[in-house]
Structure formats: structure tokens, C-alpha cells
């Protein structure tokens, strides 16, 4: 049963969601990982499914798509294959911008993938994304998520430790600021010193920390969220000293955090989610300020803990004491500014 929508007129720009179709699972072992269990109901998540979520009661006016390996080019240069994702998402955005589905603007911003380990050779890939994006391409994401305990990430074990400190990676990274592009960083809580160092090395490039730095409560970290909170908080405060860094408030419904609400039956209400997530989100808002924070859905990944409508209710519970100006920044203003969205 859906909850009553809180503050239904509050303007929301969702700055982080994915689109995909027919994701396959390589082995039964991969399929059984809690991350895959959580997203199994969303083997297909395209414009229709996104609209069903964004039209579930909250005033979602626009979204930003974030890379997930969807619809890469089937041939041609391997370096340019991720440009297919921008081409696909720009098509979805054009469908939405036609007005046939109302004033909502899906994928008004696009964050795609370009392998920064190409070093200087990444520049033509970025240029290809810009051409394919029709003005909507805003930046890239390279995940650095790694942990020595392979059970933490399961099927998302894709990179080795230290990606953001790699010299060749940084040769590629420098082109982002020069081209006016942002960088979304996804890594895990123990890796936060890596993104702190990256932000210091490139103080003029907009860097977006995804999912409040992904606190861990799985594998060797099971039951350790409380004891690691102070270390996470100290690193968040240190990262906030870099003025071009902003943070996405969300992703806490994922398997990696492993809050009690994850895969709970019956589903946890928004008040419980707000209680579990609140200390992390409130710490980020205190450290960065509302003008450098934005609530995100991370759907459909976060459906493992709640529905889209319940998730935004939880965020509204957390932000209940904020002023009208602060709520505008947290729910729409920061995202619109950081991703330079045209919502006219």
C-alpha cells in the first residue's frame, strides 16, 4: 500500500537514475548476490518504467541519467563503444522533450562513461559524447569501487584498488575541467581518501560524490556501520573542504550498506528509512551545505529497500526542518546548477 505523499508540490529534479533492458546474470552465484536480488524485478527499466515511478505522486520535473553500461555500440572502436549509451539516452530524452508525456523532462542531463585510463586519448571520446548528447551530455562517471573482500561488491568487482590515484587516469581526468564537464565518483567508504586526494589535485573540476561515499555493512563490514561512522564523517568533512565537490544524498538503500530495511518484508516505511539514513544525510548537509547537496533516487537499484514514492517521502522526513530555500536547493536547485539543466 502506497504511503500518502508528503509535500506533493515540492519541485524535484532527480539527479541519479539508470535505464536498461534485459540485464543478464552470468552465473547462479552472481545471480544470488543480494545486489542482483534487489534489482531482479527491474530487468527492464526504460522510459515507461521511469515514468511510472516519477508519476507516483511526487512533483518530479526532470531527471539526470547516470551511466550503467546500457546500449553500448556493437561495433567500431572499443574506446567509443560507451558513446552508444549517450546516443540511446539522448533518444529517450528527445521522446520526453517532445511533450507527448506531459511537462516532465526525462534525462535532461546525461552522465556517461569514458575510460580515463586512456589518458590524453580520452579527449576524442569525450568529444564524441558531446556530439551525441544534443546538449544534454554533462560529464562522465568512472567507478573506482573496490574492496579486498570480494563479497562486498559481488558482481560489481570490476576495478583494482587506487584507480583515482593512477597517473594515467589523471591525465585523462584533466580534460574534464578543460571541456567544462563534471565527474561523478563512485567508490566505497574506506576509499574516501582517494577521492579527497583527487579533488585536491583538480580543484577547478566539478566532482560529484555519489551515494554519500557508500558506507559499508556487508561482508567483513557486517554489523560495523556504527563503529565506522566517525571515520566516514571525518572523511566527508575533509572532502567538503574542496569547494568544487558536491554530494548526492542517496544510494543508502543498496545492498552494500545493508541497513535493516534492505530486502525487508514487509517493506520498511519512510519513517524507518529516514531514521536509518538520516545521520549520513544530515552529516553531509552540515558539511557541504544545501547548495552542494542533492537528493537522488538511484533507481531502480534502490528498489531493494523501497518504492520510488516511499524513498522521496523518506528524504522529505529528513529535510523536514529545512527552510524553503534549503529545500529548493536539496531537491532541485543544486542538481539544476551542477548539471546545467535547461528545464524551459
Amino acid at each position: 500500500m502506497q504511503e500518502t505523499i508528503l509535500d506533493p508540490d515540492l519541485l524535484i529534479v532527480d539527479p541519479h537514475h539508470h535505464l536498461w533492458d534485459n540485464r543478464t546474470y552470468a552465473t547462479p552465484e552472481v545471480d544470488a548476490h543480494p545486489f542482483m536480488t534487489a534489482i531482479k524485478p527491474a530487468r527492464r527499466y526504460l522510459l515507461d518504467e521511469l515514468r511510472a515511478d516519477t508519476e507516483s505522486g511526487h512533483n518530479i520535473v526532470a531527471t539526470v541519467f547516470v551511466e550503467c553500461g546500457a546500449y553500448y555500440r556493437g561495433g567500431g572502436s572499443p574506446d567509443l563503444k560507451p558513446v552508444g549509451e549517450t546516443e540511446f539516452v539522448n533518444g529517450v530524452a528527445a521522446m520526453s522533450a517532445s511533450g507527448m508525456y506531459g511537462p516532465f523532462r526525462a534525462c535532461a542531463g546525461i552522465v556517461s562513461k569514458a575510460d580515463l585510463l586512456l589518458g590524453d586519448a580520452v579527449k576524442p571520446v569525450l568529444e564524441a559524447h558531446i556530439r551525441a548528447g544534443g546538449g544534454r551530455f554533462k560529464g562522465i562517471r568512472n567507478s573506482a569501487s573496490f574492496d579486498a573482500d570480494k563479497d562486498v561488491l559481488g558482481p560489481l568487482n570490476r576495478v583494482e584498488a587506487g584507480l583515482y590515484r593512477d597517473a594515467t587516469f589523471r591525465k585523462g581526468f584533466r580534460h574534464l575541467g578543460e571541456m567544462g564537464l563534471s565527474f561523478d565518483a563512485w567508490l566505497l567508504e574506506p576509499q574516501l581518501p582517494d577521492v579527497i586526494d583527487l579533488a585536491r589535485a583538480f580543484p577547478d573540476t566539478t566532482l560529484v560524490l555519489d551515494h554519500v561515499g557508500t558506507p559499508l555493512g556487508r561482508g567483513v563490514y557486517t554489523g560495523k556501520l556504527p563503529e565506522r561512522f566517525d571515520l566516514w564523517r571525518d572523511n566527508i568533512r575533509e572532502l567538503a573542504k574542496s569547494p568544487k565537490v558536491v554530494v548526492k544524498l542517496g544510494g543508502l538503500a543498496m545492498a552494500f550498506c545493508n541497513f535493516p530495511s534492505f530486502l525487508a518484508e514487509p517493506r520498511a516505511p519512510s519513517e524507518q528509512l529516514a531514521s536509518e539514513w538520516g545521520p549520513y544525510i544530515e552529516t553531509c548537509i552540515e558539511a557541504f551545505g544545501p547548495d552542494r547537496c542533492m537528493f537522488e533516487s538511484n533507481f531502480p537499484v534502490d528498489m531493494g529497500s523501497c518504492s520510488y514514492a516511499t524513498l522521496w517521502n523518506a528524504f522529505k522526513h529528513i529535510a523536514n526542518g529545512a527552510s524553503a530555500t534549503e529545500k529548493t536547493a536539496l531537491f532541485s536547485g543544486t542538481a539544476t546548477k551542477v548539471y546545467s539543466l535547461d528545464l524551459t
Side-chain angles (χ1 to χ4, degrees):
M1 184 174 180
Q2 180 169 308
E3 297 182 357
T4 300
I5 301 299
L6 303 176
D7 200 358
D9 295 327
L10 179 63
L11 201 76
I12 296 174
V13 173
D14 181 353
H16 196 112
H17 71 85
H18 309 291
L19 298 171
W20 59 55
D21 194 10
N22 293 326
R23 287 215 155 188
T24 57
Y25 307 112
T27 66
E29 291 76 18
V30 167
D31 193 18
H33 190 275
F35 175 83
M36 306 307 276
T37 301
I39 65 171
K40 217 176 266 189
R43 298 282 296 257
R44 171 190 168 98
Y45 197 82
L46 297 174
L47 181 57
D48 287 345
E49 290 77 18
L50 176 65
R51 286 181 57 223
D53 279 336
T54 56
E55 294 173 5
S56 59
H58 296 281
N59 187 19
I60 314 292
V61 297
T63 70
V64 175
F65 167 89
V66 176
E67 64 88 23
C68 58
Y71 293 95
Y72 278 20
R73 290 177 177 176
S77 165
D79 296 345
L80 291 171
K81 286 187 175 184
V83 178
E85 187 168 49
T86 296
E87 294 167 333
F88 151 63
V89 177
N90 192 44
V92 173
M95 292 170 64
S96 178
S98 72
M100 289 182 62
Y101 309 103
F104 166 65
R105 293 292 177 262
C107 310
I110 301 172
V111 176
S112 295
K113 170 73 178 290
D115 185 3
L116 294 183
L117 285 174
L118 292 170
D120 289 332
V122 79
K123 187 174 182 180
V125 179
L126 297 172
E127 292 169 340
H129 276 297
I130 292 171
R131 290 192 298 271
R136 298 183 178 96
F137 176 71
K138 305 300 180 180
I140 68 161
R141 179 171 78 160
N142 277 189
S143 168
S145 296
F146 168 86
D147 196 83
D149 179 2
K150 300 303 181 183
D151 185 53
V152 172
L153 284 166
L156 297 187
N157 283 297
R158 296 171 179 166
V159 300
E160 294 302 317
L163 177 64
Y164 291 169
R165 295 180 183 269
D166 183 271
T168 304
F169 175 91
R170 293 190 174 193
K171 284 184 179 179
F173 190 96
R174 71 178 178 86
H175 291 284
L176 298 177
E178 295 169 358
M179 300 173 73
L181 300 173
S182 62
F183 180 76
D184 265 61
W186 182 42
L187 75 177
L188 308 179
E189 173 264 308
Q191 299 176 281
L192 282 171
D194 289 0
V195 79
I196 292 169
D197 190 74
L198 182 66
R200 288 172 176 164
F202 296 91
D204 297 323
T205 300
T206 298
L207 193 156
V208 183
L209 177 67
D210 290 350
H211 316 327
V212 305
T214 314
L216 296 179
R218 182 164 300 284
V220 296
Y221 303 95
T222 299
K224 294 184 178 180
L225 280 170
E227 71 181 68
R228 295 189 65 85
F229 182 85
D230 288 353
L231 177 59
W232 168 85
R233 181 190 58 205
D234 291 346
N235 280 320
I236 286 294
R237 289 174 174 172
E238 192 64 32
L239 181 60
K241 293 177 182 178
S242 294
K244 294 284 281 186
V245 177
V246 297
V247 59
K248 286 180 176 174
L249 309 175
L252 293 165
M254 292 191 293
F256 318 118
C257 307
N258 201 23
F259 284 101
S261 54
F262 179 69
L263 294 180
E265 290 295 343
R267 305 277 266 179
S270 58
E271 292 90 346
Q272 178 182 337
L273 300 176
S275 176
E276 291 177 0
W277 305 343
Y280 293 90
I281 289 174
E282 290 162 358
T283 296
C284 287
I285 296 172
E286 180 184 355
F288 285 86
D291 289 338
R292 293 166 61 199
C293 291
M294 48 182 145
F295 285 115
E296 54 156 337
S297 76
N298 194 35
F299 255 61
V301 177
D302 279 26
M303 70 188 308
S305 295
C306 57
S307 70
Y308 194 86
T310 299
L311 177 138
W312 287 102
N313 265 0
F315 293 155
K316 289 176 179 180
H317 280 301
I318 293 169
N320 183 54
S323 69
T325 300
E326 291 169 337
K327 287 181 181 179
T328 296
L330 293 166
F331 285 94
S332 62
T334 301
T336 301
K337 176 184 65 178
V338 168
Y339 290 116
S340 303
L341 302 182
D342 180 6
L343 303 183
T344 57

